[in-house]
Amino acid sequence: MATGMELYLIRHGLAGEHGTYANDDERPLTAEGKQKTRQVAKRLVEFDLHFDWMLTSPLVRARQTAEILLEAGLAPQLEESVYLADGNLDGWLFWLKSWEPGSSRCLALVGHEPSLSEWAESLAFGRAIGSFQLKKAGIIGLYLPDQVAPVGRSTVFWLTPPRFLLSK
Amino acid sequence: MATGMELYLIRHGLAGEHGTYANDDERPLTAEGKQKTRQVAKRLVEFDLHFDWMLTSPLVRARQTAEILLEAGLAPQLEESVYLADGNLDGWLFWLKSWEPGSSRCLALVGHEPSLSEWAESLAFGRAIGSFQLKKAGIIGLYLPDQVAPVGRSTVFWLTPPRFLLSK
């Protein structure tokens, strides 16, 4: 198993219905979506997770989700990435090559479906066929290898919907 | 997404070291393994999970794990399956065809690595390349389609190690 980098793919929380905003990029989280995302963030803190860096799609519902994770103390700061809005895996992989986070390498990406689950499938299996289900505020965890290109060579160690995170 | 059947693949808990028993099939769970498996079972009950049927590998460490899940009330009863000892996916798929659980179809399999993660990869992607990491007492959840052969057509909705289940 390659353990070069831990990558957490996090889908934005529950947002308003598609079509309720003239500009869909502006569609925000609902009150319920914010609350559940806060609960998920709290749980991740309880698991001692800490991201060295966090990238988010600039779209409002993703940006709000990332800000909730940031406020929970899960990452030192937040950077926007257009690749997470348009689902451009090759673009993000190019960014990743130049990323210099120091010795510790644990990265979180906040974005959208179907891109995130497709990225996970491509990283783990070399192609995306729609076999991963990633719910809103759900998470996929992957180990990416260090010395080789990660597509088709990464390992999935976590995939969870929020319902298997939150306490009753 | 196909939602014909929910399948939960559960790896046995922490057992004694390989080589500590003359017959490896007899190797039992450690005290820590039993305790953590009980905690995982309690968590699954909190998530309102209930299996219509549970199959286990007859090997002691798997059988003990399944009995802990049974005692927690997660399934009505337990059946041994040799396919879970030898990792024979085709044999199990043949068994599955003749399984008649009634209208509700939620099945749990308790077994070993690398078979369980390989089965999950085969069901979701049509082949196993070692891209899933399933820890001891970890779980993979899949939706299997109803009307077609499930290999290469199933959906992964959950994959978790115990550390992302248990409260601190």
Side-chain angles (χ1 to χ4, degrees):
Chain A
M1 186 196 65
T3 57
M5 194 180 89
E6 281 183 38
L7 180 68
Y8 293 86
L9 307 177
I10 304 170
R11 187 178 177 193
H12 66 80
L14 183 67
E17 286 295 313
H18 188 80
T20 50
Y21 274 69
N23 179 356
D24 195 62
D25 295 3
E26 300 295 325
R27 192 153 48 92
L29 298 184
T30 63
E32 184 192 345
K34 283 182 188 172
Q35 187 195 14
K36 192 178 272 191
T37 304
R38 281 193 198 103
Q39 289 173 331
V40 167
K42 184 166 173 282
R43 199 82 185 108
L44 302 189
V45 171
E46 286 170 3
F47 292 143
D48 289 334
L49 282 179
H50 187 81
F51 312 127
D52 298 316
W53 203 254
M54 185 159 51
L55 293 182
T56 183
S57 151
L59 275 56
V60 170
R61 57 196 183 277
R63 173 99 208 176
Q64 286 181 329
T65 299
E67 281 167 358
I68 287 170
L69 300 173
L70 192 71
E71 283 161 17
L74 284 159
Q77 55 183 321
L78 185 59
E79 181 184 334
E80 288 192 354
S81 169
V82 290
Y83 304 126
L84 286 163
D86 60 20
N88 181 348
L89 177 57
D90 288 338
W92 176 75
L93 287 169
F94 190 80
W95 172 89
L96 183 65
K97 273 191 189 172
S98 64
W99 183 52
E100 292 290 351
S103 56
S104 174
R105 307 217 316 174
C106 178
L107 178 65
L109 312 183
V110 181
H112 308 270
E113 278 292 277
S115 302
L116 291 182
S117 62
E118 287 176 357
W119 287 23
E121 289 187 276
S122 295
L123 289 167
F125 293 95
R127 68 202 168 104
I129 60 169
S131 288
F132 284 162
Q133 182 186 76
L134 182 61
K135 292 279 196 180
K136 292 187 179 79
I139 302 168
I140 298 174
L142 295 144
Y143 294 123
L144 272 60
D146 238 345
Q147 303 297 332
V148 292
V151 171
R153 297 188 183 92
S154 302
T155 304
V156 182
F157 65 87
W158 198 22
L159 186 161
T160 193
R163 77 173 173 116
F164 290 139
L165 281 178
L166 303 179
S167 296
K168 292 237 168 193
Chain B
M1 185 196 66
T3 57
M5 195 180 88
E6 281 182 37
L7 180 68
Y8 293 85
L9 307 177
I10 304 170
R11 187 177 177 193
H12 66 79
L14 185 67
E17 286 296 312
H18 188 79
T20 50
Y21 275 70
N23 179 355
D24 196 63
D25 295 2
E26 302 296 325
R27 191 152 49 92
L29 298 184
T30 62
E32 183 192 347
K34 283 182 188 173
Q35 188 195 14
K36 192 178 273 191
T37 304
R38 282 194 198 101
Q39 290 173 329
V40 168
K42 184 166 173 282
R43 199 83 184 110
L44 301 190
V45 170
E46 288 170 0
F47 292 144
D48 289 334
L49 281 180
H50 186 81
F51 312 126
D52 297 317
W53 204 255
M54 184 160 51
L55 294 182
T56 183
S57 152
L59 275 57
V60 170
R61 57 196 183 276
R63 172 100 209 175
Q64 287 181 329
T65 299
E67 280 167 358
I68 288 169
L69 300 173
L70 192 71
E71 284 161 17
L74 284 159
Q77 55 184 321
L78 185 58
E79 182 184 332
E80 288 192 353
S81 169
V82 291
Y83 304 125
L84 286 163
D86 59 21
N88 180 348
L89 177 58
D90 288 338
W92 177 75
L93 288 169
F94 190 80
W95 172 88
L96 183 65
K97 273 190 189 173
S98 64
W99 184 53
E100 291 291 350
S103 57
S104 175
R105 306 217 315 174
C106 178
L107 179 64
L109 310 184
V110 181
H112 309 269
E113 278 293 276
S115 302
L116 291 182
S117 62
E118 287 176 357
W119 287 23
E121 288 187 277
S122 295
L123 288 167
F125 293 95
R127 69 201 169 103
I129 60 170
S131 288
F132 284 162
Q133 181 186 77
L134 182 61
K135 291 281 194 179
K136 292 187 180 80
I139 301 169
I140 299 175
L142 295 145
Y143 295 123
L144 272 59
D146 238 345
Q147 304 297 331
V148 292
V151 170
R153 297 188 182 91
S154 302
T155 304
V156 183
F157 64 86
W158 197 22
L159 187 161
T160 192
R163 78 174 173 115
F164 290 139
L165 282 178
L166 303 179
S167 294
K168 292 239 167 190

